[in-house]
Every structure is written in structure tokens, then in C-alpha cells.
Amino acid sequence: MQYENGGDLLVAHLKSLGIDTVFGIVSVHNLPLVEAVDRELRFVPVRHEATAVNAADAWGRARGTLGCALTSTGTGAGNAAGSLIEALASGTSVLHITGQVESEFLGSGRGYIHETKDQLGMLTAVSVHAATVPDAASAGRILREATAAALGAPGGPASVEWPVDLQFARQSDDGEEALCGEAPVVPEAELAAAADLLSTARKPLIWAGGGAATARAELLALLEATGAGLVTSNSGRGSVAEDHPLVIGNFATTPAVRALLADADVLVTIGTHFRSNETADYGLELPTAHIQIDVDSAALGRVYPARHALHGDAAAVVPALTASAVRADADWSRRVTDVREQVRATLHDNIGPQAAICDALAELLPAGAVVARDVTIPSSSWGNRLLPMHDPRGNVFPRGGGIGQGLGMGIGAALARPDEPSVVIAGDGGLAVHLGELLTLAQERPRLTLIVFNDGGYGVLRNMQDKYADRRSGVDLVTPAFRTLAEAVGLPYARIAAEDEAHPVLAEALASDGPTLVEVDLHALGPMKNPFTPPVKIYTA
């Protein structure tokens, strides 16, 4: 195939993948790409390169596919690096295309505009795959190889740097398919041994991580065949809808679930990496009879030993276990359901007046709607646990724990699912990291309700300092007048200052066909019963 320039080639590639929306910032070093995308697809001009990647990441999560971001060279590519780290930590598929200086001057170090030392090395460090387009005849192959790497197992962001002179050049593409790695196959003997162990279980538990999202039907069949309790990581939420009576959810470190883990006779874990904040800094104890399933061989036994480490795709492996499953003791399944209700009731009580907001969202949002959460107290305390998830594609949050990514992710996810309401839960501190994206929100006008919990700073760290230190450092911040800010950028505004305002305010915002900024005045609403502090170690003398 022949293309007038690299932009036309890129558009053809994206169309072949079903990608109709691209996020980025225009630059002298990506003009042919942006102009072609804007002409043939939807180009969303965000205000910061980090947001371009966050939005593309969440667009892909919400669609269950690949997202695409375009950034500029040097500083632009560097700005994107933090969000590439998030996609890498999450294993989410992003095609990141960045410009590069003219091929004649690559690596010359002469100070060519936007030039940086070893940009490819930087991209390699934060991507599962990174490559440079060496000539116009290779660009199509390079794009396909990057896409295959991003969509492969375990997946993640793939970065392509494209010298600007080669973007402008006429392209020839032979259409040669990129080689994809074959899915791992678990040996029959290993699978049979794991199935035999599970068949002895009378008090089984299952732990689902993000890797279970591609095996939802298979996981549900295993859950119902065994009568086990389902614990999830944050990433595994929604792999089985959380209104199911056997779904305990993201409560592994609570006393009641710790007791279940202590009494369980077999644990099956599926696609979870046992992150530090979900295992009490690896202090959580798991049953020794542990069957671990993961498509990433490096994850097997990395954090907890596994009696049976099954390297394979969950959708292929789980049915073999289900075929040999035996129903749990009835008392065990009843205990699971009791624990499910207990941990939710305890958390609902502990969050005090914020429970009214959680309850309103649970009632008003359609099942499976996108709820994007930044790293903030409402998210970490109840948004990641109590607010029900029914579909993993609606479960959008920074799995790597970086603050400030929620709004960009929410914009991307909302544009991926334009026919239903989406929500962002953010704090005033996290929102300030990319406050300029309010302009993107106002410009693109997705059906997105941005809920800003305003406590005048970094509330999580403030609570930690109040608990462990004798003074506060760097946590009390100037907060904008959000009503005035919303008016300045043309966004509808509403405020929640009391529990009885939560439902009507959110009902009106969610019914809108465009964006709304809702401020939750935490000083007026009142505190939680117990100040939230994250489950991380604090080293004291």
C-alpha cells in the first residue's frame, strides 16, 4: 500500500483496530500525524502529554481494547513518561506515538529543537516495547509490532518514536503481519494436580485480580460450582458483579476476611499481583494450599508461594478446575455471605456522612458505568471498595497509585462510552495536578460528572502526619473557588454540603448530557468517624 505521508498510514492502522479517538498535543514534530487523525478520526487536544496517555489508557480500558496517544519530542515525551508508568503497572494497552527530530540529526547532541539524550532509552524504561521508525518503508511494520506488544500478554504501553522528516515522507507498506507470541499452555499433569487439590476443598476462596477480566464467565462458573468466597484486588473488581452474594470484594486486609483466609483450605488466585497496599505491605497471610493462575510467568510465586503455579490464560485454565470442583460446605458459603455483609456495613458506618454520596451513586449510576477515581480519601476508603462494580471496564483508577490522573482517565473513558453517564472521584489536591484539563472537559463536553472532594489539601498525607508526626508539612494547600472556576471555563457547577443534598445534586448532574463539576465541601459535610490513613508502613524511631 502507498500513503501520502505517515499520518495517512497511521490513520489506516488505527481504523483497522477500530480506534476512532486519539488523545494528544499538536507539535512541530507530529504535525502530519495530528492533521491526518483530526481529518479522519477524532483528535482530542488535551492540555498536557501525561493526560494524553492517561486518557488513551482509560479509553482502552472502557472499551476493552487499545487506546492511542500522540505526543511531541523530548519534553513532550518526558511529560508522558509518568502516565506510561501507570499503564505499565496496570498492564493496560496503549499505543504511544511520539515525534522525534529529523533522522539526519538523531543522536547528534547538537541541541536541535526538542532534542533529548536517548529518548528511546527513556521510552524503553517505561514501556513494554519501544522502537524508532528507521525509514518510510518500515513504519507500518513498526506500528504493527508495537500494537502486538501492547495487546499481548501481559500487555502494557508500547511507544514508537517517529522522526518528523519520515512522517512527512511518502509511505510504502507491505502489510506484513507482526508476529504475536503464542499463549502459554499449562501441561495436563500440572492442571490435573491443581484440579485434584481443588476437589478436596470444603472451605475454598478465590482471589481475582485484573487478569480475571478476560475470564468473567469462566470465573462466575467456578464461583458458583464451588460456593467459594470471592475476594478481589482493586483491579479485579467487577470481574463478577459485586451484587453477587459470594463476592466479598476488595476487603482482603479486614479482620473478618483475614479470618476467612486463615480458615480456608484452598485458595485459587487468578491474575493478581498482590500489590503492597492490598496485602498490608505483604503482611497478609494466605493459605499454603494455593493455586495461582497467571499469564505472566514472572508473577507466579513472586509474592506468595504457590503449590500449583499455572502459567496460562485464565479463560483457558479456569474451566478445567471447574470441571473437578466440589461444592463447599454450606456453613462455609453462609459464612462468606455473612462476612460480605459485615465488611460493607462496617465501612459504610466508618465513612460517616460520605456514605450518602456513595449510596446515591450506587442507586443512580447504571450497572457497569465508568467510575474513574483519582488517588484520594473517598476513593481509597470507599470508592475502591464499597461503591459497587458490575463490569471491570467501568473500574478505572490509577493502579500504580499516582495522584492527579483521575480527570484525564475520566475524560478518556467517558468519550469511549458517550451514551451513558460517567463519574470522576477526585480530591482538590489531585485535581490541581492537571487543573488545565478542566478546559479539555469544557471543550469536549463528555457526559461526565466530576466530583471534587474539597478538604483544602492532601488529606491522606495530612491524616498520616496528624497521626504519626508533631507537625504538618506540605499538606495544607490553597484551594480555588470551584464555583468561580467552573464559571470561568463554562462548566455547570453544583455543591454538596450536607448528606440530604447528595442524592438530588447527583441525580441532576448524572441526568445531564454534558459535564458538571460537583464540589463536595468536606468541612461543611463533616468528618468520617475514623480519619483514613493508607495501609503503608511508617518508620518511627
Side-chain angles (χ1 to χ4, degrees), residues 199-227:
S199 71
T200 69
R202 297 299 175 269
K203 295 184 289 183
L205 287 177
I206 304 169
W207 184 320
T214 58
R216 296 180 65 196
E218 294 83 358
L219 174 58
L220 178 60
L222 177 64
L223 184 68
E224 295 187 335
T226 57

Side-chain angles (χ1 to χ4, degrees), residues 151-176:
L151 290 170
S159 294
V160 173
E161 59 171 14
W162 201 335
V164 65
D165 58 315
L166 300 180
Q167 295 175 38
F168 278 106
R170 185 172 177 82
Q171 311 285 312
S172 61
D173 181 30
D174 62 12
E176 181 182 353

